Amino acid sequence: GNSVTQMEGPVTLSEEAFLTINCTYTATGYPSLFWYVQYPGEGLQLLLKATKADDKGSNKGFEATYRKETTSFHLEKGSVQVSDSAVYFCALIDSGGSNYKLTFGKGTLLTVNP
Amino acid sequence: NAGVTQTPKFQVLKTGQSMTLQCAQDMNHEYMSWYRQDPGMGLRLIHYSVGAGITDQGEVPNGYNVSRSTTEDFPLRLLSAAPSQTSVYFCASSYQSLAGGVETQYFGPGTRLLVL
């Protein structure tokens, strides 16, 4: 079956530090990959996505590249801000045409201190 | 558009009580789903629907029922609440892309449920 493994948190950084949150996956087909972000007290919002190998998703200074050879989709940001403090979820959908099930990692809590 | 809405925002139940968590979307999305979020577990799929009249089980369906009589609404029913169902519940909706896959899922704000 499908699974997503992401680095366990919590991660605590100082403002302007470099961020990496690792994510690897197992899938039977050719998945689409996502990063969702959950700010305190809110629902999940899509941060970025990639639908095929070597695609790079980017948004709000965050980037992630779909690496089929290493089955990875690591999230990076060059300079984090206090407002980036949130829980980040890596997820996949197996794009086999009829599989609608979004599989999530367990989430990584990021805290950015001023 | 209001997007995905959920009611109530917070609910306390006693063991054995029943209730319905409401979810509605105004984006005409075919696909809707329910997830529960528990500490250290991420989000787990409870039930999903690919269109009105069609529902299916997800990863953790036991203790929950769903129906989809309209495109807009996808209520989640707890027939006899148990403390193990204490969680935060999220509803999501999406549409099928031209390529046949599912596009980005849009999440509601969540319902926090406490079962005593």
Side-chain angles (χ1 to χ4, degrees):
Chain A
N2 299 332
S3 67
V4 175
T5 303
Q6 61 182 102
M7 65 184 290
E8 295 188 14
V11 175
T12 302
L13 296 173
S14 297
E15 205 164 24
E16 299 184 1
F18 184 84
L19 169 71
T20 299
I21 300 178
N22 291 337
C23 171
T24 58
Y25 68 88
T26 301
T28 54
Y30 300 93
S32 294
L33 302 174
F34 304 82
W35 276 101
Y36 280 84
V37 59
Q38 184 180 30
Y39 298 105
E42 298 184 9
L44 277 72
Q45 305 173 22
L46 178 70
L47 181 58
L48 52 85
K49 68 178 182 181
T51 58
K52 62 182 185 294
D54 299 325
D55 270 2
K56 177 185 283 187
S58 61
N59 186 28
K60 299 181 181 179
F62 291 89
E63 294 183 340
T65 301
Y66 188 143
R67 302 289 187 195
K68 185 178 179 182
E69 63 276 13
T70 54
T71 61
S72 65
F73 193 55
H74 304 322
L75 181 68
E76 296 182 338
K77 187 175 185 182
S79 177
V80 295
Q81 305 300 312
V82 172
S83 58
D84 293 327
S85 297
V87 180
Y88 293 82
F89 293 93
C90 186
L92 69 83
I93 284 182
D94 194 334
S95 302
S98 60
N99 189 336
Y100 299 89
K101 301 176 184 179
L102 191 61
T103 301
F104 285 92
K106 294 184 178 181
T108 302
L109 172 63
L110 170 66
T111 301
V112 181
N113 295 320
Chain B
N1 288 346
V4 180
T5 58
Q6 293 183 237
T7 56
K9 290 184 178 180
F10 180 72
Q11 183 72 47
V12 179
L13 291 179
K14 294 181 179 179
T15 297
Q17 286 185 316
S18 63
M19 80 161 294
T20 299
L21 280 64
Q22 301 292 343
C23 174
Q25 53 92 8
D26 60 359
M27 298 174 281
N28 202 33
H29 286 168
E30 305 102 328
Y31 177 60
M32 297 185 74
S33 58
W34 277 102
Y35 296 87
R36 59 177 290 172
Q37 182 179 27
D38 301 293
M41 300 293 292
L43 278 79
R44 293 179 291 170
L45 183 64
I46 304 172
H47 285 284
Y48 65 99
S49 168
V50 300
I54 306 170
T55 64
D56 204 348
Q57 296 181 350
E59 182 183 357
V60 288
N62 293 339
Y64 307 95
N65 284 345
V66 293
S67 60
R68 183 98 179 268
S69 57
T70 66
T71 298
E72 294 79 18
D73 300 301
F74 190 45
L76 178 71
R77 298 184 186 85
L78 285 69
L79 298 180
S80 179
S84 61
Q85 294 178 305
T86 293
S87 188
V88 181
Y89 292 85
F90 289 100
C91 179
S93 74
S94 184
Y95 60 92
Q96 189 173 17
S97 71
L98 294 176
V102 174
E103 287 291 340
T104 303
Q105 293 199 19
Y106 295 84
F107 284 80
T111 294
R112 187 174 297 273
L113 177 66
L114 174 62
V115 182
L116 302 175

PDB file of all heavy atoms in Angstrom, chain A residues 2 28-32 92-102, chain B residues 30-32 45 48-51 54-57 95-103 105:
ATOM      1  N   ASN A   2       0.189   2.374  -0.063  1.00  0.00           N
ATOM      2  CA  ASN A   2       0.884   3.659  -0.064  1.00  0.00           C
ATOM      3  C   ASN A   2       1.231   4.102   1.347  1.00  0.00           C
ATOM      4  O   ASN A   2       0.482   3.852   2.294  1.00  0.00           O
ATOM      5  CB  ASN A   2      -0.007   4.716  -0.713  1.00  0.00           C
ATOM      6  CG  ASN A   2      -0.340   4.403  -2.149  1.00  0.00           C
ATOM      7  OD1 ASN A   2       0.424   3.740  -2.839  1.00  0.00           O
ATOM      8  ND2 ASN A   2      -1.499   4.855  -2.592  1.00  0.00           N
ATOM      9  N   THR A  28       2.337   2.436  -5.070  1.00  0.00           N
ATOM     10  CA  THR A  28       2.269   1.368  -6.055  1.00  0.00           C
ATOM     11  C   THR A  28       2.210   1.906  -7.479  1.00  0.00           C
ATOM     12  O   THR A  28       2.608   1.243  -8.408  1.00  0.00           O
ATOM     13  CB  THR A  28       1.038   0.492  -5.811  1.00  0.00           C
ATOM     14  OG1 THR A  28      -0.125   1.338  -5.781  1.00  0.00           O
ATOM     15  CG2 THR A  28       1.143  -0.218  -4.472  1.00  0.00           C
ATOM     16  N   GLY A  29       1.728   3.117  -7.641  1.00  0.00           N
ATOM     17  CA  GLY A  29       1.594   3.680  -8.979  1.00  0.00           C
ATOM     18  C   GLY A  29       2.517   4.858  -9.170  1.00  0.00           C
ATOM     19  O   GLY A  29       3.672   4.847  -8.748  1.00  0.00           O
ATOM     20  N   TYR A  30       1.990   5.882  -9.813  1.00  0.00           N
ATOM     21  CA  TYR A  30       2.752   7.107 -10.067  1.00  0.00           C
ATOM     22  C   TYR A  30       2.059   8.252  -9.338  1.00  0.00           C
ATOM     23  O   TYR A  30       1.184   8.909  -9.894  1.00  0.00           O
ATOM     24  CB  TYR A  30       2.813   7.370 -11.576  1.00  0.00           C
ATOM     25  CG  TYR A  30       3.490   6.247 -12.320  1.00  0.00           C
ATOM     26  CD1 TYR A  30       2.743   5.207 -12.872  1.00  0.00           C
ATOM     27  CD2 TYR A  30       4.876   6.198 -12.428  1.00  0.00           C
ATOM     28  CE1 TYR A  30       3.366   4.157 -13.542  1.00  0.00           C
ATOM     29  CE2 TYR A  30       5.499   5.155 -13.093  1.00  0.00           C
ATOM     30  CZ  TYR A  30       4.733   4.144 -13.641  1.00  0.00           C
ATOM     31  OH  TYR A  30       5.348   3.110 -14.293  1.00  0.00           O
ATOM     32  N   PRO A  31       2.450   8.486  -8.104  1.00  0.00           N
ATOM     33  CA  PRO A  31       1.686   9.419  -7.276  1.00  0.00           C
ATOM     34  C   PRO A  31       1.918  10.878  -7.611  1.00  0.00           C
ATOM     35  O   PRO A  31       2.949  11.243  -8.191  1.00  0.00           O
ATOM     36  CB  PRO A  31       2.199   9.113  -5.868  1.00  0.00           C
ATOM     37  CG  PRO A  31       3.605   8.663  -6.082  1.00  0.00           C
ATOM     38  CD  PRO A  31       3.577   7.892  -7.375  1.00  0.00           C
ATOM     39  N   SER A  32       0.947  11.700  -7.245  1.00  0.00           N
ATOM     40  CA  SER A  32       1.142  13.134  -7.118  1.00  0.00           C
ATOM     41  C   SER A  32       1.522  13.408  -5.663  1.00  0.00           C
ATOM     42  O   SER A  32       1.005  12.763  -4.751  1.00  0.00           O
ATOM     43  CB  SER A  32      -0.139  13.884  -7.474  1.00  0.00           C
ATOM     44  OG  SER A  32      -0.445  13.717  -8.844  1.00  0.00           O
ATOM     45  N   LEU A  92       0.454  12.123  -0.424  1.00  0.00           N
ATOM     46  CA  LEU A  92       0.429  11.677  -1.810  1.00  0.00           C
ATOM     47  C   LEU A  92      -0.955  11.186  -2.196  1.00  0.00           C
ATOM     48  O   LEU A  92      -1.743  10.758  -1.356  1.00  0.00           O
ATOM     49  CB  LEU A  92       1.470  10.569  -2.052  1.00  0.00           C
ATOM     50  CG  LEU A  92       1.280   9.185  -1.416  1.00  0.00           C
ATOM     51  CD1 LEU A  92       0.349   8.293  -2.246  1.00  0.00           C
ATOM     52  CD2 LEU A  92       2.631   8.489  -1.292  1.00  0.00           C
ATOM     53  N   ILE A  93      -1.228  11.271  -3.481  1.00  0.00           N
ATOM     54  CA  ILE A  93      -2.382  10.616  -4.092  1.00  0.00           C
ATOM     55  C   ILE A  93      -1.839   9.752  -5.213  1.00  0.00           C
ATOM     56  O   ILE A  93      -1.085  10.229  -6.053  1.00  0.00           O
ATOM     57  CB  ILE A  93      -3.397  11.625  -4.649  1.00  0.00           C
ATOM     58  CG1 ILE A  93      -4.199  12.252  -3.520  1.00  0.00           C
ATOM     59  CG2 ILE A  93      -4.339  10.938  -5.630  1.00  0.00           C
ATOM     60  CD1 ILE A  93      -5.251  13.220  -3.997  1.00  0.00           C
ATOM     61  N   ASP A  94      -2.235   8.497  -5.190  1.00  0.00           N
ATOM     62  CA  ASP A  94      -1.822   7.586  -6.238  1.00  0.00           C
ATOM     63  C   ASP A  94      -2.649   7.897  -7.475  1.00  0.00           C
ATOM     64  O   ASP A  94      -3.862   7.666  -7.493  1.00  0.00           O
ATOM     65  CB  ASP A  94      -2.047   6.139  -5.788  1.00  0.00           C
ATOM     66  CG  ASP A  94      -1.333   5.153  -6.699  1.00  0.00           C
ATOM     67  OD1 ASP A  94      -1.115   5.479  -7.872  1.00  0.00           O
ATOM     68  OD2 ASP A  94      -1.012   4.060  -6.224  1.00  0.00           O
ATOM     69  N   SER A  95      -2.046   8.431  -8.485  1.00  0.00           N
ATOM     70  CA  SER A  95      -2.783   8.933  -9.649  1.00  0.00           C
ATOM     71  C   SER A  95      -3.080   7.833 -10.652  1.00  0.00           C
ATOM     72  O   SER A  95      -2.794   7.962 -11.825  1.00  0.00           O
ATOM     73  CB  SER A  95      -1.981  10.057 -10.309  1.00  0.00           C
ATOM     74  OG  SER A  95      -1.746  11.089  -9.395  1.00  0.00           O
ATOM     75  N   GLY A  96      -3.709   6.767 -10.160  1.00  0.00           N
ATOM     76  CA  GLY A  96      -4.036   5.664 -11.046  1.00  0.00           C
ATOM     77  C   GLY A  96      -5.345   5.851 -11.771  1.00  0.00           C
ATOM     78  O   GLY A  96      -5.824   4.954 -12.452  1.00  0.00           O
ATOM     79  N   GLY A  97      -5.948   7.008 -11.596  1.00  0.00           N
ATOM     80  CA  GLY A  97      -7.185   7.293 -12.310  1.00  0.00           C
ATOM     81  C   GLY A  97      -8.420   7.085 -11.472  1.00  0.00           C
ATOM     82  O   GLY A  97      -9.406   7.764 -11.641  1.00  0.00           O
ATOM     83  N   SER A  98      -8.388   6.135 -10.554  1.00  0.00           N
ATOM     84  CA  SER A  98      -9.582   5.888  -9.753  1.00  0.00           C
ATOM     85  C   SER A  98      -9.293   5.892  -8.255  1.00  0.00           C
ATOM     86  O   SER A  98     -10.175   5.621  -7.465  1.00  0.00           O
ATOM     87  CB  SER A  98     -10.198   4.541 -10.127  1.00  0.00           C
ATOM     88  OG  SER A  98      -9.270   3.495  -9.904  1.00  0.00           O
ATOM     89  N   ASN A  99      -8.085   6.194  -7.903  1.00  0.00           N
ATOM     90  CA  ASN A  99      -7.732   6.191  -6.490  1.00  0.00           C
ATOM     91  C   ASN A  99      -7.779   7.606  -5.959  1.00  0.00           C
ATOM     92  O   ASN A  99      -6.981   8.447  -6.328  1.00  0.00           O
ATOM     93  CB  ASN A  99      -6.338   5.588  -6.308  1.00  0.00           C
ATOM     94  CG  ASN A  99      -6.009   5.370  -4.840  1.00  0.00           C
ATOM     95  OD1 ASN A  99      -6.566   6.033  -3.973  1.00  0.00           O
ATOM     96  ND2 ASN A  99      -5.124   4.455  -4.568  1.00  0.00           N
ATOM     97  N   TYR A 100      -8.739   7.863  -5.067  1.00  0.00           N
ATOM     98  CA  TYR A 100      -8.923   9.210  -4.562  1.00  0.00           C
ATOM     99  C   TYR A 100      -8.401   9.386  -3.155  1.00  0.00           C
ATOM    100  O   TYR A 100      -8.701  10.356  -2.496  1.00  0.00           O
ATOM    101  CB  TYR A 100     -10.414   9.553  -4.590  1.00  0.00           C
ATOM    102  CG  TYR A 100     -11.001   9.522  -5.976  1.00  0.00           C
ATOM    103  CD1 TYR A 100     -11.534   8.343  -6.492  1.00  0.00           C
ATOM    104  CD2 TYR A 100     -11.012  10.649  -6.770  1.00  0.00           C
ATOM    105  CE1 TYR A 100     -12.060   8.313  -7.761  1.00  0.00           C
ATOM    106  CE2 TYR A 100     -11.551  10.626  -8.041  1.00  0.00           C
ATOM    107  CZ  TYR A 100     -12.073   9.447  -8.528  1.00  0.00           C
ATOM    108  OH  TYR A 100     -12.602   9.417  -9.784  1.00  0.00           O
ATOM    109  N   LYS A 101      -7.633   8.454  -2.665  1.00  0.00           N
ATOM    110  CA  LYS A 101      -7.269   8.467  -1.258  1.00  0.00           C
ATOM    111  C   LYS A 101      -5.968   9.216  -1.046  1.00  0.00           C
ATOM    112  O   LYS A 101      -4.921   8.819  -1.540  1.00  0.00           O
ATOM    113  CB  LYS A 101      -7.142   7.034  -0.747  1.00  0.00           C
ATOM    114  CG  LYS A 101      -8.409   6.223  -0.902  1.00  0.00           C
ATOM    115  CD  LYS A 101      -8.227   4.778  -0.465  1.00  0.00           C
ATOM    116  CE  LYS A 101      -9.481   3.967  -0.715  1.00  0.00           C
ATOM    117  NZ  LYS A 101      -9.314   2.554  -0.321  1.00  0.00           N
ATOM    118  N   LEU A 102      -6.057  10.292  -0.290  1.00  0.00           N
ATOM    119  CA  LEU A 102      -4.890  11.093   0.064  1.00  0.00           C
ATOM    120  C   LEU A 102      -4.245  10.464   1.287  1.00  0.00           C
ATOM    121  O   LEU A 102      -4.881  10.343   2.329  1.00  0.00           O
ATOM    122  CB  LEU A 102      -5.328  12.526   0.335  1.00  0.00           C
ATOM    123  CG  LEU A 102      -4.266  13.602   0.485  1.00  0.00           C
ATOM    124  CD1 LEU A 102      -3.448  13.734  -0.776  1.00  0.00           C
ATOM    125  CD2 LEU A 102      -4.918  14.908   0.843  1.00  0.00           C
TER     126      LEU A 102
ATOM    127  N   GLU B  30     -16.827  16.933  -7.128  1.00  0.00           N
ATOM    128  CA  GLU B  30     -17.391  15.582  -7.088  1.00  0.00           C
ATOM    129  C   GLU B  30     -16.928  14.819  -5.843  1.00  0.00           C
ATOM    130  O   GLU B  30     -17.654  14.025  -5.268  1.00  0.00           O
ATOM    131  CB  GLU B  30     -16.959  14.767  -8.330  1.00  0.00           C
ATOM    132  CG  GLU B  30     -17.280  15.420  -9.650  1.00  0.00           C
ATOM    133  CD  GLU B  30     -16.057  16.070 -10.277  1.00  0.00           C
ATOM    134  OE1 GLU B  30     -15.172  16.560  -9.512  1.00  0.00           O
ATOM    135  OE2 GLU B  30     -15.972  16.100 -11.509  1.00  0.00           O
ATOM    136  N   TYR B  31     -15.686  15.036  -5.473  1.00  0.00           N
ATOM    137  CA  TYR B  31     -15.081  14.205  -4.455  1.00  0.00           C
ATOM    138  C   TYR B  31     -15.116  14.881  -3.085  1.00  0.00           C
ATOM    139  O   TYR B  31     -14.754  16.048  -2.963  1.00  0.00           O
ATOM    140  CB  TYR B  31     -13.630  13.922  -4.843  1.00  0.00           C
ATOM    141  CG  TYR B  31     -12.851  13.141  -3.843  1.00  0.00           C
ATOM    142  CD1 TYR B  31     -13.249  11.859  -3.478  1.00  0.00           C
ATOM    143  CD2 TYR B  31     -11.706  13.669  -3.274  1.00  0.00           C
ATOM    144  CE1 TYR B  31     -12.530  11.137  -2.553  1.00  0.00           C
ATOM    145  CE2 TYR B  31     -10.974  12.945  -2.341  1.00  0.00           C
ATOM    146  CZ  TYR B  31     -11.394  11.682  -1.998  1.00  0.00           C
ATOM    147  OH  TYR B  31     -10.676  10.962  -1.086  1.00  0.00           O
ATOM    148  N   MET B  32     -15.588  14.164  -2.082  1.00  0.00           N
ATOM    149  CA  MET B  32     -15.568  14.656  -0.707  1.00  0.00           C
ATOM    150  C   MET B  32     -15.084  13.551   0.212  1.00  0.00           C
ATOM    151  O   MET B  32     -15.264  12.361  -0.081  1.00  0.00           O
ATOM    152  CB  MET B  32     -16.954  15.154  -0.278  1.00  0.00           C
ATOM    153  CG  MET B  32     -17.444  16.348  -1.093  1.00  0.00           C
ATOM    154  SD  MET B  32     -19.002  17.022  -0.503  1.00  0.00           S
ATOM    155  CE  MET B  32     -18.464  17.874   1.001  1.00  0.00           C
ATOM    156  N   LEU B  45      -7.969   8.743   6.734  1.00  0.00           N
ATOM    157  CA  LEU B  45      -9.209   8.808   5.963  1.00  0.00           C
ATOM    158  C   LEU B  45     -10.276   7.905   6.589  1.00  0.00           C
ATOM    159  O   LEU B  45     -10.040   6.716   6.813  1.00  0.00           O
ATOM    160  CB  LEU B  45      -8.933   8.396   4.525  1.00  0.00           C
ATOM    161  CG  LEU B  45     -10.079   8.457   3.537  1.00  0.00           C
ATOM    162  CD1 LEU B  45     -10.551   9.896   3.346  1.00  0.00           C
ATOM    163  CD2 LEU B  45      -9.663   7.862   2.200  1.00  0.00           C
ATOM    164  N   TYR B  48     -15.075   8.299   2.139  1.00  0.00           N
ATOM    165  CA  TYR B  48     -15.015   9.244   1.047  1.00  0.00           C
ATOM    166  C   TYR B  48     -16.144   8.976   0.057  1.00  0.00           C
ATOM    167  O   TYR B  48     -16.787   7.914   0.093  1.00  0.00           O
ATOM    168  CB  TYR B  48     -13.651   9.214   0.342  1.00  0.00           C
ATOM    169  CG  TYR B  48     -13.317   7.932  -0.371  1.00  0.00           C
ATOM    170  CD1 TYR B  48     -13.498   7.808  -1.749  1.00  0.00           C
ATOM    171  CD2 TYR B  48     -12.799   6.836   0.320  1.00  0.00           C
ATOM    172  CE1 TYR B  48     -13.181   6.642  -2.404  1.00  0.00           C
ATOM    173  CE2 TYR B  48     -12.482   5.670  -0.333  1.00  0.00           C
ATOM    174  CZ  TYR B  48     -12.655   5.572  -1.688  1.00  0.00           C
ATOM    175  OH  TYR B  48     -12.351   4.408  -2.341  1.00  0.00           O
ATOM    176  N   SER B  49     -16.359   9.962  -0.804  1.00  0.00           N
ATOM    177  CA  SER B  49     -17.422   9.857  -1.809  1.00  0.00           C
ATOM    178  C   SER B  49     -16.923  10.449  -3.110  1.00  0.00           C
ATOM    179  O   SER B  49     -16.316  11.521  -3.127  1.00  0.00           O
ATOM    180  CB  SER B  49     -18.664  10.620  -1.335  1.00  0.00           C
ATOM    181  OG  SER B  49     -19.588  10.758  -2.385  1.00  0.00           O
ATOM    182  N   VAL B  50     -17.193   9.750  -4.203  1.00  0.00           N
ATOM    183  CA  VAL B  50     -16.766  10.243  -5.515  1.00  0.00           C
ATOM    184  C   VAL B  50     -17.908  10.883  -6.279  1.00  0.00           C
ATOM    185  O   VAL B  50     -17.741  11.265  -7.437  1.00  0.00           O
ATOM    186  CB  VAL B  50     -16.110   9.124  -6.351  1.00  0.00           C
ATOM    187  CG1 VAL B  50     -14.883   8.569  -5.619  1.00  0.00           C
ATOM    188  CG2 VAL B  50     -17.095   8.009  -6.649  1.00  0.00           C
ATOM    189  N   GLY B  51     -19.042  11.007  -5.628  1.00  0.00           N
ATOM    190  CA  GLY B  51     -20.181  11.661  -6.254  1.00  0.00           C
ATOM    191  C   GLY B  51     -21.441  11.368  -5.469  1.00  0.00           C
ATOM    192  O   GLY B  51     -21.460  10.482  -4.607  1.00  0.00           O
ATOM    193  N   ILE B  54     -22.694   7.858  -3.977  1.00  0.00           N
ATOM    194  CA  ILE B  54     -21.580   6.909  -3.972  1.00  0.00           C
ATOM    195  C   ILE B  54     -20.658   7.197  -2.794  1.00  0.00           C
ATOM    196  O   ILE B  54     -20.119   8.305  -2.676  1.00  0.00           O
ATOM    197  CB  ILE B  54     -20.763   7.003  -5.270  1.00  0.00           C
ATOM    198  CG1 ILE B  54     -21.660   6.838  -6.492  1.00  0.00           C
ATOM    199  CG2 ILE B  54     -19.652   5.946  -5.275  1.00  0.00           C
ATOM    200  CD1 ILE B  54     -20.971   7.158  -7.801  1.00  0.00           C
ATOM    201  N   THR B  55     -20.508   6.223  -1.913  1.00  0.00           N
ATOM    202  CA  THR B  55     -19.581   6.378  -0.793  1.00  0.00           C
ATOM    203  C   THR B  55     -18.748   5.120  -0.648  1.00  0.00           C
ATOM    204  O   THR B  55     -19.126   4.037  -1.123  1.00  0.00           O
ATOM    205  CB  THR B  55     -20.325   6.637   0.529  1.00  0.00           C
ATOM    206  OG1 THR B  55     -21.125   5.505   0.858  1.00  0.00           O
ATOM    207  CG2 THR B  55     -21.201   7.877   0.436  1.00  0.00           C
ATOM    208  N   ASP B  56     -17.622   5.256   0.043  1.00  0.00           N
ATOM    209  CA  ASP B  56     -16.754   4.097   0.255  1.00  0.00           C
ATOM    210  C   ASP B  56     -15.956   4.329   1.524  1.00  0.00           C
ATOM    211  O   ASP B  56     -15.831   5.455   2.020  1.00  0.00           O
ATOM    212  CB  ASP B  56     -15.830   3.881  -0.934  1.00  0.00           C
ATOM    213  CG  ASP B  56     -15.367   2.430  -1.037  1.00  0.00           C
ATOM    214  OD1 ASP B  56     -15.583   1.653  -0.069  1.00  0.00           O
ATOM    215  OD2 ASP B  56     -14.792   2.064  -2.078  1.00  0.00           O
ATOM    216  N   GLN B  57     -15.424   3.220   2.054  1.00  0.00           N
ATOM    217  CA  GLN B  57     -14.687   3.275   3.301  1.00  0.00           C
ATOM    218  C   GLN B  57     -13.241   3.672   3.079  1.00  0.00           C
ATOM    219  O   GLN B  57     -12.629   3.312   2.075  1.00  0.00           O
ATOM    220  CB  GLN B  57     -14.735   1.907   3.987  1.00  0.00           C
ATOM    221  CG  GLN B  57     -16.129   1.476   4.410  1.00  0.00           C
ATOM    222  CD  GLN B  57     -16.115   0.134   5.098  1.00  0.00           C
ATOM    223  OE1 GLN B  57     -15.107  -0.567   5.109  1.00  0.00           O
ATOM    224  NE2 GLN B  57     -17.244  -0.240   5.683  1.00  0.00           N
ATOM    225  N   TYR B  95     -11.948  17.999  -7.046  1.00  0.00           N
ATOM    226  CA  TYR B  95     -12.545  17.646  -8.321  1.00  0.00           C
ATOM    227  C   TYR B  95     -11.561  16.789  -9.094  1.00  0.00           C
ATOM    228  O   TYR B  95     -10.363  16.781  -8.825  1.00  0.00           O
ATOM    229  CB  TYR B  95     -12.918  18.893  -9.131  1.00  0.00           C
ATOM    230  CG  TYR B  95     -11.747  19.797  -9.461  1.00  0.00           C
ATOM    231  CD1 TYR B  95     -11.033  19.650 -10.646  1.00  0.00           C
ATOM    232  CD2 TYR B  95     -11.363  20.798  -8.581  1.00  0.00           C
ATOM    233  CE1 TYR B  95      -9.964  20.468 -10.940  1.00  0.00           C
ATOM    234  CE2 TYR B  95     -10.291  21.626  -8.866  1.00  0.00           C
ATOM    235  CZ  TYR B  95      -9.595  21.454 -10.054  1.00  0.00           C
ATOM    236  OH  TYR B  95      -8.537  22.269 -10.333  1.00  0.00           O
ATOM    237  N   GLN B  96     -12.082  16.076 -10.056  1.00  0.00           N
ATOM    238  CA  GLN B  96     -11.239  15.217 -10.874  1.00  0.00           C
ATOM    239  C   GLN B  96     -10.665  16.018 -12.028  1.00  0.00           C
ATOM    240  O   GLN B  96     -11.384  16.740 -12.705  1.00  0.00           O
ATOM    241  CB  GLN B  96     -12.035  14.038 -11.408  1.00  0.00           C
ATOM    242  CG  GLN B  96     -11.192  12.988 -12.096  1.00  0.00           C
ATOM    243  CD  GLN B  96     -11.997  11.758 -12.455  1.00  0.00           C
ATOM    244  OE1 GLN B  96     -13.223  11.809 -12.478  1.00  0.00           O
ATOM    245  NE2 GLN B  96     -11.342  10.660 -12.736  1.00  0.00           N
ATOM    246  N   SER B  97      -9.364  15.905 -12.209  1.00  0.00           N
ATOM    247  CA  SER B  97      -8.720  16.642 -13.281  1.00  0.00           C
ATOM    248  C   SER B  97      -9.036  16.008 -14.635  1.00  0.00           C
ATOM    249  O   SER B  97      -9.524  14.887 -14.720  1.00  0.00           O
ATOM    250  CB  SER B  97      -7.204  16.674 -13.077  1.00  0.00           C
ATOM    251  OG  SER B  97      -6.661  15.383 -13.325  1.00  0.00           O
ATOM    252  N   LEU B  98      -8.726  16.746 -15.688  1.00  0.00           N
ATOM    253  CA  LEU B  98      -8.954  16.225 -17.036  1.00  0.00           C
ATOM    254  C   LEU B  98      -8.154  14.963 -17.293  1.00  0.00           C
ATOM    255  O   LEU B  98      -8.546  14.101 -18.073  1.00  0.00           O
ATOM    256  CB  LEU B  98      -8.603  17.296 -18.071  1.00  0.00           C
ATOM    257  CG  LEU B  98      -9.499  18.533 -18.079  1.00  0.00           C
ATOM    258  CD1 LEU B  98      -8.981  19.547 -19.089  1.00  0.00           C
ATOM    259  CD2 LEU B  98     -10.940  18.137 -18.411  1.00  0.00           C
ATOM    260  N   ALA B  99      -7.009  14.841 -16.612  1.00  0.00           N
ATOM    261  CA  ALA B  99      -6.163  13.660 -16.782  1.00  0.00           C
ATOM    262  C   ALA B  99      -6.695  12.462 -16.019  1.00  0.00           C
ATOM    263  O   ALA B  99      -6.153  11.370 -16.123  1.00  0.00           O
ATOM    264  CB  ALA B  99      -4.740  13.980 -16.332  1.00  0.00           C
ATOM    265  N   GLY B 100      -7.726  12.650 -15.239  1.00  0.00           N
ATOM    266  CA  GLY B 100      -8.336  11.542 -14.516  1.00  0.00           C
ATOM    267  C   GLY B 100      -7.945  11.446 -13.065  1.00  0.00           C
ATOM    268  O   GLY B 100      -8.553  10.703 -12.309  1.00  0.00           O
ATOM    269  N   GLY B 101      -6.932  12.188 -12.654  1.00  0.00           N
ATOM    270  CA  GLY B 101      -6.547  12.154 -11.251  1.00  0.00           C
ATOM    271  C   GLY B 101      -7.317  13.186 -10.456  1.00  0.00           C
ATOM    272  O   GLY B 101      -8.096  13.954 -10.994  1.00  0.00           O
ATOM    273  N   VAL B 102      -7.068  13.186  -9.167  1.00  0.00           N
ATOM    274  CA  VAL B 102      -7.742  14.123  -8.272  1.00  0.00           C
ATOM    275  C   VAL B 102      -6.840  15.317  -8.029  1.00  0.00           C
ATOM    276  O   VAL B 102      -5.662  15.153  -7.741  1.00  0.00           O
ATOM    277  CB  VAL B 102      -8.094  13.448  -6.940  1.00  0.00           C
ATOM    278  CG1 VAL B 102      -8.649  14.470  -5.959  1.00  0.00           C
ATOM    279  CG2 VAL B 102      -9.104  12.351  -7.174  1.00  0.00           C
ATOM    280  N   GLU B 103      -7.388  16.470  -8.162  1.00  0.00           N
ATOM    281  CA  GLU B 103      -6.646  17.694  -7.922  1.00  0.00           C
ATOM    282  C   GLU B 103      -6.582  18.015  -6.422  1.00  0.00           C
ATOM    283  O   GLU B 103      -7.000  17.235  -5.590  1.00  0.00           O
ATOM    284  CB  GLU B 103      -7.299  18.837  -8.689  1.00  0.00           C
ATOM    285  CG  GLU B 103      -7.069  18.785 -10.194  1.00  0.00           C
ATOM    286  CD  GLU B 103      -5.620  19.068 -10.552  1.00  0.00           C
ATOM    287  OE1 GLU B 103      -4.908  19.648  -9.718  1.00  0.00           O
ATOM    288  OE2 GLU B 103      -5.210  18.691 -11.662  1.00  0.00           O
ATOM    289  N   GLN B 105      -6.996  18.941  -2.727  1.00  0.00           N
ATOM    290  CA  GLN B 105      -8.127  18.845  -1.819  1.00  0.00           C
ATOM    291  C   GLN B 105      -8.215  20.107  -0.975  1.00  0.00           C
ATOM    292  O   GLN B 105      -7.207  20.610  -0.485  1.00  0.00           O
ATOM    293  CB  GLN B 105      -7.982  17.610  -0.935  1.00  0.00           C
ATOM    294  CG  GLN B 105      -8.099  16.319  -1.738  1.00  0.00           C
ATOM    295  CD  GLN B 105      -8.402  15.119  -0.900  1.00  0.00           C
ATOM    296  OE1 GLN B 105      -8.868  15.226   0.226  1.00  0.00           O
ATOM    297  NE2 GLN B 105      -8.148  13.935  -1.438  1.00  0.00           N
TER     298      GLN B 105
END
